[in-house]
């Protein structure tokens, strides 16, 4: 038997998707009867039901594509036996098939491979399944105690809700908002930076968490200034993306900035502006590694390379404070 092609965890050529990053919801989250044990038992017993096993380091079994530009396909297994509703969590129904997720060592069948989720090039359906399922899984593992009385909580039959067995309080998943932006200068060059923990050459767009009581646009101005010393003057909202590593919601912008990149607060090991030709040449030569294909960061870079990003000046003017 010939060996299956390797899963690509690094993208060797700059490519871009022809469709928007976010579109119509693809998962029916079954809100009408999500916590009905009988309905969930029927979903688990459905002949088309699937269970996605995720390993300790967020790795899964996949069917790799034939070329680096191909998307890989998730390789779930059919549901079987009696469901453990504290470990086998309902994601929802996708294209008529119920999907569940569990923390268990994935096993690769013939032609399949095991690969880390965050490195994969997934299609829109698989992306949405992973975003929802992994977010539920991480939350379920990190919230075993009641925040009020510190009693033990149990997941409801469908989740994503925990109920305290002592005081009855309901506990819901937490999402941490963050801003992420394609920051452009007046020459339409893009700012890309590298964190100290990343491999040499790996870069991404600028991002940071929203603080309590802070508007997303204000967080964008603050984070860009802290990381690079640049002053954001305009921003336009693009799209959002759940990033379940472990529980972020990325709010994507394209922004215009003025000034010269400085060391900032040393969160980044390096940052600089790049032209489109520079990015293409450096990626082709192996000098730059762009963000993972599953990320909104990569979608932003691809959109900028293809001149598909809207003008930041068509969004919010951040050059002066609001008049009271």
């Amino acid at each position: 038997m010939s060996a299956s092609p390797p899963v690509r965890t690094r993208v060797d050529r700059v490519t871009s998707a022809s469709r928007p990053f976010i579109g119509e919801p693809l998962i029916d989250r079954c809100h009408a009867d999500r916590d009905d044990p009988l309905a969930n038992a029927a979903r688990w017993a459905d002949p088309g039901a699937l269970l996605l096993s995720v390993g300790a380091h967020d790795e899964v079994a996949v069917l790799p594509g034939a070329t680096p530009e191909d998307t890989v396909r998730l390789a779930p297994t059919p549901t079987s036996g009696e469901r453990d509703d504290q470990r086998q969590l309902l994601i929802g129904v996708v294209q008529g098939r119920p999907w569940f997720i569990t923390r268990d060592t994935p096993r690769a069948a013939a032609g399949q491979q095991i690969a880390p989720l965050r490195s994969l090039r997934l299609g829109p359906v698989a992306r949405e399944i992973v975003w929802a399922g992994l977010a539920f899984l991480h939350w379920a593992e990190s919230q075993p105690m009641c925040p009020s009385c510190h009693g033990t909580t149990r997941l409801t039959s469908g989740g994503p809700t925990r109920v305290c067995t002592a005081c009855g309080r309901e506990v819901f998943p937490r999402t941490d908002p963050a801003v992420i932006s394609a920051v452009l200068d007046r020459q339409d060059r893009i700012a890309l930076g590298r964190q100290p923990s990343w491999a040499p050459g790996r870069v991404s767009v600028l991002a940071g968490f929203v603080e309590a009581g802070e508007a997303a646009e204000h967080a964008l101005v603050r984070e860009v200034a802290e990381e690079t010393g640049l002053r954001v003057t305009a921003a336009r909202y693009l799209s959002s993306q759940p990033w379940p590593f472990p529980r972020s919601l990325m709010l994507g912008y394209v922004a215009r900035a003025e000034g010269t990149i400085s060391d900032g607060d040393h969160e980044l090991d390096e940052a600089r502006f790049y032209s489109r030709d520079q990015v293409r040449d450096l990626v082709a030569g192996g000098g730059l590694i762009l963000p993972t294909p599953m990320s909104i960061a990569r979608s932003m870079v691809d959109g900028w390379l293809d001149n598909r990003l809207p003008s930041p000046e068509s969004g919010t003017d951040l050059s002066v404070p609001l008049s009271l």
Side-chain angles (χ1 to χ4, degrees):
M1 181 183 296
S2 60
S4 57
V7 173
R8 307 294 199 232
T9 58
R10 170 176 167 171
V11 180
D12 299 312
R13 291 198 297 154
V14 177
T15 59
S16 61
S18 59
R19 62 180 295 162
F21 192 68
I22 299 291
E24 179 184 6
L26 301 173
I27 297 177
D28 175 2
R29 298 185 180 232
C30 308
H31 286 126
D33 59 357
R34 184 179 190 102
D35 288 328
D36 182 343
L38 293 179
N40 289 327
R43 293 185 183 106
W44 179 260
D46 188 303
L50 297 170
L51 177 65
L52 181 65
S53 295
V54 181
H57 302 289
D58 292 339
E59 69 275 15
V60 294
V62 296
L63 286 164
T67 71
E69 289 75 36
D70 290 342
T71 58
V72 303
R73 288 183 291 162
L74 298 174
T77 57
T79 56
S80 62
E82 185 176 352
R83 178 192 172 213
D84 180 350
D85 63 9
Q86 299 301 294
R87 294 189 63 251
Q88 294 158 333
L89 312 182
L90 172 66
I91 299 175
V93 176
V94 183
Q95 297 174 337
R97 306 186 74 167
W99 277 74
F100 297 82
I101 192 168
T102 191
R103 183 72 74 186
D104 197 6
T105 302
R107 291 171 173 80
Q112 299 176 2
Q113 293 184 351
I114 306 299
L117 275 170
R118 69 171 66 204
S119 71
L120 298 178
R121 180 183 291 278
L122 299 172
V125 175
R127 273 202 316 248
E128 196 166 324
I129 290 169
V130 166
W131 291 343
L134 204 55
F136 291 169
L137 197 59
H138 283 165
W139 169 74
E141 294 168 340
S142 65
Q143 295 290 330
M145 308 300 289
C146 174
S148 294
C149 72
H150 307 293
T152 301
T153 62
R154 283 185 58 83
L155 286 165
T156 57
S157 173
T161 309
R162 281 186 173 275
V163 177
C164 179
T165 58
C167 71
R169 173 172 173 171
E170 291 185 323
V171 183
F172 299 96
R174 168 183 161 186
T175 297
D176 298 330
V179 289
I180 184 167
S181 181
V183 177
L184 311 178
D185 67 3
R186 292 296 173 185
Q187 289 74 50
D188 218 33
R189 299 179 301 172
I190 193 170
L192 299 175
R194 185 177 74 85
Q195 294 186 9
S197 61
W198 292 354
R202 181 169 294 281
V203 295
S204 187
V205 295
L206 306 181
F209 286 103
V210 179
E211 294 187 354
E214 185 177 40
E217 291 80 4
H218 292 174
L220 172 60
V221 172
R222 176 182 54 77
E223 285 287 348
V224 171
E226 289 176 357
E227 293 185 348
T228 65
L230 296 171
R231 175 174 173 262
V232 171
T233 59
R236 180 185 175 95
Y237 176 74
L238 295 175
S239 184
S240 64
Q241 178 198 3
W243 188 246
F245 301 100
R247 56 183 179 222
S248 300
L249 176 64
M250 310 301 293
L251 306 174
Y253 291 83
V254 56
R256 189 79 67 195
E258 296 179 345
T260 302
I261 292 179
S262 62
D263 289 341
D265 60 4
H266 305 289
E267 286 187 23
L268 299 179
D269 194 49
E270 58 180 305
R272 56 170 290 193
F273 280 113
Y274 294 84
S275 69
R276 291 177 176 84
D277 287 342
Q278 286 175 320
V279 170
R280 292 189 180 99
D281 291 345
L282 286 167
V283 169
L288 278 186
I289 304 173
L290 296 181
T292 171
M294 197 173 76
S295 67
I296 191 173
R298 181 56 183 272
S299 178
M300 289 176 173
V301 174
D302 286 345
W304 168 75
L305 283 167
D306 291 345
N307 288 289
R308 290 189 284 108
L309 295 184
S311 167
E313 286 75 18
S314 58
T316 303
D317 181 2
L318 296 170
S319 61
V320 294
L322 291 176
S323 299
L324 297 179

